[in-house]
Amino acid sequence: MGVIHKIGRRKTAVARVYVSEGTGVITVNKKPFATYFPTATLQYKVLQPMSMTENASNFDVKVNVYGGGSNGQAEAVRMALARVMCDVNAENRAILKPEGLLTRDQRMVERKKFGQKKARKRFQFSKR
């Protein structure tokens, strides 16, 4: 099979995933998966495409991820792993597509405008 390389993005986070056949070891930025994503919610998000396709213990995964926060990074890794699972077996696409794991979430933070406190919030108006 060799090594499969895919990229996933979410907000400003970018995840590069390298998947090869193995025993299910996941490393993120040269750290164990459970220490990089400590909460159960983030771990569930990352493992979702592999558990849905029942491949959680069949592949070794090496991830390089940067940018954004922990939630954006977890969702970027999820998207990259979903793309890998489609590459491994074309039938996995029918499982992952309805869940929205193959769709890039294009929502980004709105920029702050000049003369305002934040993107939409304005300074308080006073008559005095």
Side-chain angles (χ1 to χ4, degrees), residues 22-25 50 54-60:
T23 58
V25 177
M50 296 182 79
E54 298 168 0
N55 286 319
S57 61
N58 298 342
F59 298 103
D60 287 342

Side-chain angles (χ1 to χ4, degrees), residues 18-128:
Y18 302 90
V19 177
S20 58
E21 289 186 15
T23 58
V25 177
I26 301 175
T27 57
V28 182
N29 289 351
K30 298 180 182 174
K31 294 181 184 176
F33 160 72
T35 58
Y36 194 85
F37 294 116
T39 63
T41 307
L42 297 177
Q43 291 176 10
Y44 171 76
K45 283 184 182 182
V46 171
L47 293 174
Q48 193 175 3
M50 296 182 79
S51 62
M52 287 178 70
T53 57
E54 298 168 0
N55 286 319
S57 61
N58 298 342
F59 298 103
D60 287 342
V61 180
K62 183 182 165 212
V63 181
N64 293 330
V65 63
Y66 61 92
S70 57
N71 190 59
Q73 287 185 350
E75 293 187 13
V77 173
R78 177 175 71 177
M79 180 184 189
L81 282 173
R83 287 178 170 175
V84 168
M85 291 301 117
C86 288
D87 221 27
V88 168
N89 189 353
E91 296 170 1
N92 290 338
R93 186 172 179 83
I95 299 168
L96 298 170
K97 184 74 173 165
E99 298 297 320
L101 300 184
L102 297 173
T103 305
R104 162 78 158 95
D105 192 349
Q106 76 282 358
R107 293 177 294 169
M108 300 289 279
V109 176
E110 189 174 345
R111 78 171 194 88
K112 180 196 173 298
K113 279 71 166 194
F114 64 92
Q116 295 182 13
K117 198 172 183 103
K118 296 191 326 188
R120 301 207 176 189
K121 186 175 184 180
R122 290 168 169 79
F123 290 111
Q124 185 171 341
F125 176 75
S126 63
K127 293 182 179 181
R128 295 180 201 192

